[in-house]
Amino acid sequence: MTFHRILQLPELIYKKSHFLFGPRGTGKTFLIREQLKGNAKILNLLEQDLFLRLSASPWELRAIIASTDRNVPVVIDEVQKVPALLDEVHRLIEEEGRTFLLTGSSARKLRRGSANLLAGRARLAEIFPLTSHEIPKFDLERYLRVGGLPFVYASDDPSEDLDAYVRTYLQEEVQAEGLTRNLPGFARFLKTAALLNGTVLNYTKLGSDAELSPSTVRQYIQILEDTLLGFRIAPFRKSLKRKAISTEKFYLFDVGVSHAISGIRHVDRLSDIYGRSFEQFIALELRAFLSYRRTKEELSFWRSKHGAEVDFIVGDRLAIEVKASSRTGAHDAKGLRTLQEEGLPLSYYLISQDPLERVDHGVTFICWDTFLSRLWGGTL
């Protein structure tokens, strides 16, 4: 199965060096081969000989790329494996005007290393699991079961592949890298976090459910963010009449991985899990859109102290409520109606699986596929 990735690496590094971060399995290495083969010097630190050589002598990077034309970009894949290379990259950018693409599946080691030396010299880009816009003949029901990792979505046995992915993460990313000494506790936390995916963060509740302290839960949430398996959505605080909560929501990066971690094998159409998976799918689409389009808009959500809620707000222009139902009514837009009373210059959308598009008192009721088509097409 061929996927049409939105991210275009040649355009990304045409004038400026970039970090390209993305979780394992999102297709960074494949994208590099497809888009830059023959037009870049590619160094993959998963190759053991190269890894050992540069680990022992990072300064040899200069000699390795010496014969490469200075106008040809240099790709270092999985750069977090040798953080000391960033010192050499810094010098080569400054002294030789080199352009680099530095990819990784974890920002943790780089933050503890010397990534700050590249501040202003390398921009940041991200790659995510597949979006609906990248999958020919997109199948929503399949996506809500197995997620958007390319090798999983195209697999004949996605459940096995997802289970293997989670085991690899626990063994290679967490245990081998020494991110925590309490692997059983982290595994309990991970399952609890997956089951509470998309809810407002409550460190005390998470800790109680996973038999961990709230401070340990905070550390583990940070590990998920650093290894790119999770992200937070900040609360929208520009409402004036109703005070908004200040606590963030947390999502895992992929629907299928969320199911594999929590042990969910089937997603029943009428279940709460289906609704939460559909909301997560929309969250992932919005997040990818904002990143790939290089917009400065932020993704947030709104919830008042009295419980009124809107699932997502894009910048200062779109307020979005998500319902998985195939029929919607005025009662589904209650949160949007409450936010409307704030008088903010937003466009209000209720996204669902209802095929009937209509506008009711300033709220556009719209089917998910129409909404996403307009979003990616730039007409919203």
Side-chain angles (χ1 to χ4, degrees), residues 125-173:
E126 296 178 87
I127 186 170
F128 304 101
L130 295 165
T131 68
S132 62
H133 198 61
E134 297 173 308
I135 302 174
K137 298 180 180 179
F138 178 73
D139 183 342
L140 177 64
E141 300 304 312
R142 180 173 179 81
Y143 195 99
L144 295 184
R145 290 196 317 272
V146 308
L149 291 174
F151 74 98
V152 173
Y153 189 87
S155 173
D156 293 330
D157 196 347
S159 294
E160 281 294 320
D161 289 332
L162 284 167
D163 287 344
Y165 185 94
V166 173
R167 288 195 301 271
T168 298
Y169 171 71
L170 287 171
Q171 292 170 1
E172 296 186 14
E173 290 283 4

Side-chain angles (χ1 to χ4, degrees), residues 24 39 57 68 82 94 103 121 146 150 158 165 171 203 216 222 238 247 251 253 266 305 307 348 377:
R24 289 186 179 212
N39 297 305
S57 309
T68 303
V82 188
E94 290 290 292
T103 84
R121 296 174 180 82
V146 308
Y165 185 94
Q171 292 170 1
Y203 297 106
T216 299
Q222 190 61 57
K238 294 184 180 180
T247 311
Y251 287 91
F253 82 109
H266 304 285
K305 290 285 187 178
Y348 296 85

Side-chain angles (χ1 to χ4, degrees), residues 44-145:
N44 189 342
L45 293 180
L46 292 178
E47 295 176 7
Q48 193 68 4
D49 290 346
L50 181 64
F51 167 72
L52 293 173
R53 179 179 177 184
L54 289 176
S55 294
S57 309
W59 54 87
E60 287 196 47
L61 175 63
R62 186 186 295 264
I64 290 172
I65 66 172
S67 61
T68 303
D69 190 290
R70 294 189 181 187
N71 293 321
V72 173
V74 177
V75 178
I76 304 179
D77 202 4
E78 300 294 340
V79 69
Q80 82 276 355
K81 289 185 170 294
V82 188
L85 279 176
L86 294 173
D87 292 336
E88 298 305 312
V89 169
H90 179 197
R91 279 191 280 272
L92 290 164
I93 291 174
E94 290 290 292
E95 297 173 10
E96 298 185 6
R98 296 273 187 182
T99 301
F100 287 86
L101 178 66
L102 309 164
T103 84
S105 57
S106 172
R108 195 172 182 88
K109 279 190 172 181
L110 297 183
R111 285 176 180 155
R112 292 181 174 182
S114 54
N116 61 310
L117 292 176
L118 299 186
R121 296 174 180 82
R123 296 172 183 162
L124 175 64
E126 296 178 87
I127 186 170
F128 304 101
L130 295 165
T131 68
S132 62
H133 198 61
E134 297 173 308
I135 302 174
K137 298 180 180 179
F138 178 73
D139 183 342
L140 177 64
E141 300 304 312
R142 180 173 179 81
Y143 195 99
L144 295 184
R145 290 196 317 272

Side-chain angles (χ1 to χ4, degrees), residues 265-285:
R265 296 295 182 184
H266 304 285
V267 182
D268 186 270
R269 181 69 178 78
L270 300 178
S271 68
D272 178 62
I273 292 170
Y274 186 94
R276 288 168 56 186
S277 298
F278 185 65
E279 179 187 319
Q280 184 183 5
F281 159 63
I282 297 297
L284 300 179
E285 289 278 319

Side-chain angles (χ1 to χ4, degrees), residues 7-14 20 31-32 35-36 101:
L7 192 64
Q8 294 297 307
L9 300 182
E11 296 176 9
L12 201 67
I13 58 175
Y14 177 63
L20 175 63
L31 199 64
I32 289 167
Q35 296 187 1
L36 296 178
L101 178 66

